[in-house]
Amino acid sequence: MKIEPCATALANTGTVIAVRGGVVDVVFDAGPLPEIEHVLSVDWDGEAALVLEVQSHLDPRTVRTVALQNTYGLSRGTGVTATGGPLTVPVGDTVLGRLLDVTGAIRDDGRPLAPDTPRQPIHRRAPKLVVRDKPSALLETGIKVIDLLAPLAQGGKAAMFGGAGVGKTVLVMELIHAMAQNYHGISVFAGIGERSREGHELLSDMQHSGMLAKTALVFGQMNEPSGARWRVALSALTIAEYFRDVRKQDVLLLMDNVFRFVQAGAEVSGLLGRLPSRVGYQPTLATEVAALQERIASVDGVAVTAIEAVYVPADDFTDPAVAAISAHVESQIVLSRTMAAEGMYPAIDPLASTSALLTAAVVGDRHYRIAEQVRATITRYQELQDIIALLGMDELGAVDRKVVDRARKLQRFLTQPFAVTEAFTGKPGCSVTREQTLAGCEAILSGQCDAWDEGSLYMTGTLEQARAREQAAQNPPSAP
């Protein structure tokens, strides 16, 4: 992809004087220096276009830039042309159903975009507070534990926090599948530091679900330079903002993985020679996260709803990157390695997961009451686990034994098979409405299922499906 300079920048050319990985220094002999966050186009004979983004002015003639593509083969003395503006990406209906990279170039081997496709700069100010809408409407996902204990807001931001291998990407894929059935707006997916395998699986799943026609995919893969992974989230967000501000359409923005956005920023910061901050992160960590998160907002009745996966390094939820991201979201879905080890999928911690919408004023008195009772029951069970491990269930009182039994049944009822894992588990995925989830939890809390085997509630959908399984277990078909 060739980025054309604007008329005012045609005479502003420079020369590469240093290449250090993804950082390139450029000297200009005449004319004003390009502004910070403006891009330069490299005039070389490489296989692909090379775009540099200005990060600092070293002296009145020299700028330090970050490359958004691989700099392999770039040498000193190569010519550079200032474009006169920041990086722009294509927006509008023509990008729906397409896979783009950080610069907006097509990467799905399909037809090129039309020359008159509108483009917008990736760097924009966040909407002012006075024009923002407060998220309040519930976004039903069909996933029981989320809809019950960490409900999502339409026009809000939700983050799924978890360490490696606990199911963040699977949960994002299932949410995409659920939205394909229940959500009728535009979707934009930002793959930040994604593996090639994950990107290919996502593209295939979206094609099969029929959701691809209303989705734009923007990828900065794991093997790309840190500059691409650092800016790809802004490219995807720019596409979402166009549909919100110009087309007045609701947008679902999915990002996997936001931690790699922070990680790429730390790599760029180190390459630029900045002193690191806590735990080796960039000193501008909070500013960079805020610049991304505060642009995700609902304006004039049009919602941008963000669902973000966040890797938690070494399962340390006090990590500065995790803390910086969590400060900007309304719903926090925490995945537990302990629950994953016990086979409780989705491995969402019912006690650590929270939502600002879980109030009686938003979800209603009945939902709030049931959610609090579920949490209280599971909390009491966890308090008794040490006693159970040492002395056994027989040493508990009758009341505590009943609490433990109901808590274990609640934990199993809040598991469910996913559509995206059907090929591995052999169990068809199921979607459960919020009302069905509330009815099931209410029945367990009231003792209607005390005589049931807890296995009847494991990996099932509604309470009716669990009841049918229980009856089948109690009345097995007679042998011929």
Side-chain angles (χ1 to χ4, degrees), residues 37-304:
E37 295 181 346
H38 280 201
V39 293
L40 316 176
S41 178
V42 176
D43 307 321
W44 70 332
D45 55 358
E47 295 182 359
L50 178 57
V51 178
L52 312 174
E53 184 178 271
V54 177
Q55 291 300 313
S56 62
H57 294 171
L58 300 182
D59 59 47
R61 294 177 51 206
T62 310
V63 297
R64 178 158 291 169
T65 68
V66 170
L68 302 185
Q69 289 98 353
N70 201 317
T71 58
Y72 180 78
L74 180 63
S75 61
R76 288 181 294 177
T78 303
V80 171
T81 303
T83 64
L87 178 68
T88 62
V89 293
V91 295
D93 292 338
T94 55
V95 302
L96 297 180
R98 308 306 302 271
L99 191 150
L100 316 173
D101 66 9
V102 64
T103 65
I106 296 296
R107 296 301 181 193
D108 56 12
D109 293 331
R111 67 187 187 282
L113 297 178
D116 59 348
T117 301
R119 303 180 70 93
Q120 287 195 345
I122 67 169
H123 297 288
R124 301 179 63 192
R125 290 186 178 273
K128 295 182 179 180
L129 291 175
V130 294
V131 301
R132 295 181 181 226
D133 297 329
K134 182 179 179 181
S136 58
L138 296 178
L139 187 68
E140 198 166 297
T141 66
I143 299 174
K144 291 181 285 188
V145 63
I146 293 178
D147 290 339
L148 175 68
L149 299 175
L152 308 186
Q154 185 168 351
K157 295 187 284 286
M160 291 171 289
F161 298 92
V166 295
K168 297 183 300 299
T169 299
V170 171
L171 193 52
V172 169
M173 299 275 282
E174 182 66 17
L175 284 168
I176 291 172
H177 185 272
M179 293 300 107
Q181 298 176 339
N182 305 325
Y183 184 79
H184 303 291
I186 300 298
S187 299
V188 179
F189 181 87
I192 309 171
E194 286 282 271
R195 301 172 182 89
S196 299
R197 170 187 57 80
E198 293 172 340
H200 185 268
E201 289 176 358
L202 177 67
L203 184 62
S204 300
D205 288 343
M206 284 197 160
Q207 287 173 335
H208 295 148
S209 68
M211 194 178 176
L212 184 61
K214 295 194 300 181
T215 305
L217 305 175
V218 189
F219 275 86
Q221 293 183 168
M222 186 176 286
N223 62 333
E224 294 189 54
S226 53
R229 291 179 274 118
W230 189 38
R231 291 311 192 200
V232 69
L234 299 184
S235 298
L237 181 55
T238 301
I239 296 173
E241 288 173 326
Y242 175 84
F243 286 106
R244 179 195 68 190
D245 299 335
V246 179
R247 295 297 182 86
K248 303 299 180 184
Q249 291 177 278
D250 290 340
V251 183
L252 178 66
L253 177 63
L254 301 129
M255 292 194 285
D256 185 10
N257 187 304
V258 180
F259 175 79
R260 295 196 185 110
F261 161 77
V262 175
Q263 193 176 42
E267 294 175 25
V268 169
S269 181
L271 290 170
L272 293 174
R274 296 171 182 161
L275 290 175
S277 181
R278 288 189 302 161
V279 200
Y281 287 112
Q282 61 269 45
T284 54
L285 169 64
T287 303
E288 290 178 12
V289 171
L292 172 67
Q293 298 288 351
E294 290 306 306
R295 285 173 58 181
I296 305 171
S298 301
V299 180
D300 296 331
V302 186
V304 173

